[in-house]
Amino acid sequence: MALSRKNFIKTSGLGVLALGTASFKSGQTNNTDITYTDHQLHIGLASFTLRKYSLDELIDITTRLNIKDVAFKSFHLPYNASKKELIDIRKKVKASGLNLYGGGVIYMKTPEDVETYFNYAENAGLPMIIGAPEHHLLPQVEEKVKKTNIKLAIHNHGPEDKIFPSPQSVYDQIKGLDDRIGLCIDVGHTFRLGLDPAEELIKYQDKLFDVHIKDIDAAIEEGDKTVLGHGKIDIPAILTALKNMKYTGVVAIEYEKDADHAIYGLSESLGYIRGILKTT
């Protein structure tokens, strides 16, 4: 019999799955120079994963799964909220023990968008925007970064994206800009371009601010989203690369499949990652 969302959230077994008891595959990498280290990674969450869940449900789920670092999408931090409402959400999140480390993905298509979303980030107390500004807006974005001290991590969106499809497309646009402007590399969209996500992370590590981790069933444009460990992306190689480079940002799980019941896929994905990390 199917569990209701409310009852599933209350199920004590949920946390057990995420503590690394799930089975996982052995990863292989072609780079024999990569070895596991003792460096600890911060496994967090992109709240787009729980877009069909309320803020209260998100807090309950992340507490039970022992996730501390979360980047909020507008489903949980509305763009049209007042300054007071944004402050209240921030206080509620902080009181729950969560670290609201960023917001996004936020798209900026006009100069007005830049002003609007940086004001939104300031009011919400966000230290970083995970964003996708149009190329012609980058000078204005850089000025806002300098003025507000809010970082910008530009997110690549794969073969359909004409602005920032790949990590290189981001890097080439920002390499001469303020040091607070960097990359959010989405390993799934990178994989759909036929690229090796681990190699891309290593290549652009000097500007790497954020990572969205997911799994895809094939290295093609039409590759479909799946639970971490069920697809074709070499997740162990990605974690190895991040550990070796001593990456200090968040590795945010972005499970996009089955939004209405995302807690199941999120739990299994988290257990898979923690299982890998526990054996290294």
Side-chain angles (χ1 to χ4, degrees):
M1 189 170 106
L3 290 172
S4 71
R5 174 183 298 174
K6 182 176 180 182
N7 287 337
F8 185 77
I9 291 173
K10 290 181 177 180
T11 303
S12 60
L14 175 64
V16 177
L17 176 60
L19 291 176
T21 58
S23 62
F24 56 89
K25 64 185 178 184
S26 296
Q28 294 181 341
T29 176
N30 295 326
N31 187 346
T32 55
D33 293 332
I34 291 179
T35 56
Y36 288 104
T37 72
D38 291 332
H39 178 73
Q40 297 298 308
L41 296 176
H42 303 283
I43 307 302
L45 178 71
S47 90
F48 183 75
T49 300
L50 298 176
R51 57 196 177 278
K52 294 297 184 73
Y53 295 74
S54 70
L55 176 61
D56 286 340
E57 287 176 318
L58 180 148
I59 289 172
D60 191 16
I61 291 166
T62 52
T63 299
R64 289 177 180 273
L65 295 180
N66 196 28
I67 295 172
K68 299 299 183 184
D69 300 296
V70 180
F72 272 8
K73 186 71 174 173
S74 54
F75 305 99
H76 305 110
L77 195 68
Y79 295 143
N80 61 357
S82 68
K83 181 176 181 178
K84 181 182 183 304
E85 288 170 332
L86 292 172
I87 291 172
D88 288 344
I89 292 172
R90 185 181 71 212
K91 288 180 178 178
K92 182 175 187 176
V93 169
K94 184 177 180 181
S96 74
L98 279 178
N99 170 36
L100 182 56
Y101 78 89
V105 176
I106 296 175
Y107 301 90
M108 302 178 195
K109 300 181 181 297
T110 67
E112 292 74 22
D113 285 345
V114 176
E115 294 296 327
T116 295
Y117 292 125
F118 270 89
N119 288 340
Y120 159 83
E122 275 195 295
N123 290 338
L126 298 177
M128 182 169 69
I129 292 172
I130 298 117
E134 300 274 341
H135 291 174
H136 70 279
L137 297 173
L138 287 174
Q140 182 186 0
V141 165
E142 184 178 31
E143 288 304 310
K144 294 299 291 185
V145 167
K146 290 177 178 178
K147 181 178 179 181
T148 63
N149 197 33
I150 296 173
K151 290 182 177 181
L152 174 70
I154 298 179
H155 184 286
N156 68 293
H157 271 100
E160 304 90 350
D161 186 0
K162 305 306 178 186
I163 309 299
F164 292 116
S166 66
Q168 182 178 351
S169 69
V170 178
Y171 193 85
D172 287 348
Q173 290 290 326
I174 69 168
K175 58 187 176 183
L177 300 182
D178 191 275
D179 288 343
R180 288 163 288 190
I181 299 176
L183 286 80
C184 170
I185 293 183
D186 185 302
V187 305
H189 294 316
T190 300
F191 186 70
R192 291 192 303 112
L193 287 164
L195 300 171
D196 183 332
E199 291 181 0
E200 296 297 295
L201 291 165
I202 294 168
K203 193 181 300 183
Y204 303 110
Q205 63 182 285
D206 64 310
K207 281 281 198 176
L208 184 62
F209 291 175
D210 195 29
V211 175
H212 282 183
I213 193 164
K214 60 187 65 166
D215 211 346
I216 304 291
D217 67 359
I220 57 175
E221 181 174 347
E222 298 80 16
D224 198 14
K225 303 171 283 288
T226 187
V227 175
L228 279 158
H230 289 206
K232 300 298 184 182
I233 298 181
D234 192 343
I235 303 298
I238 288 171
L239 298 176
T240 299
L242 292 169
K243 290 175 77 174
N244 281 350
M245 71 176 70
K246 300 191 184 303
Y247 172 68
T248 58
V250 176
V251 183
I253 296 174
E254 189 176 33
Y255 174 70
E256 297 178 310
K257 190 174 182 179
D258 193 16
D260 287 322
H261 307 98
I263 190 169
Y264 295 93
L266 169 60
S267 298
E268 186 174 351
S269 295
L270 183 61
Y272 173 72
I273 289 178
R274 287 178 173 166
I276 292 170
L277 295 176
K278 273 191 164 187
T279 64
T280 62

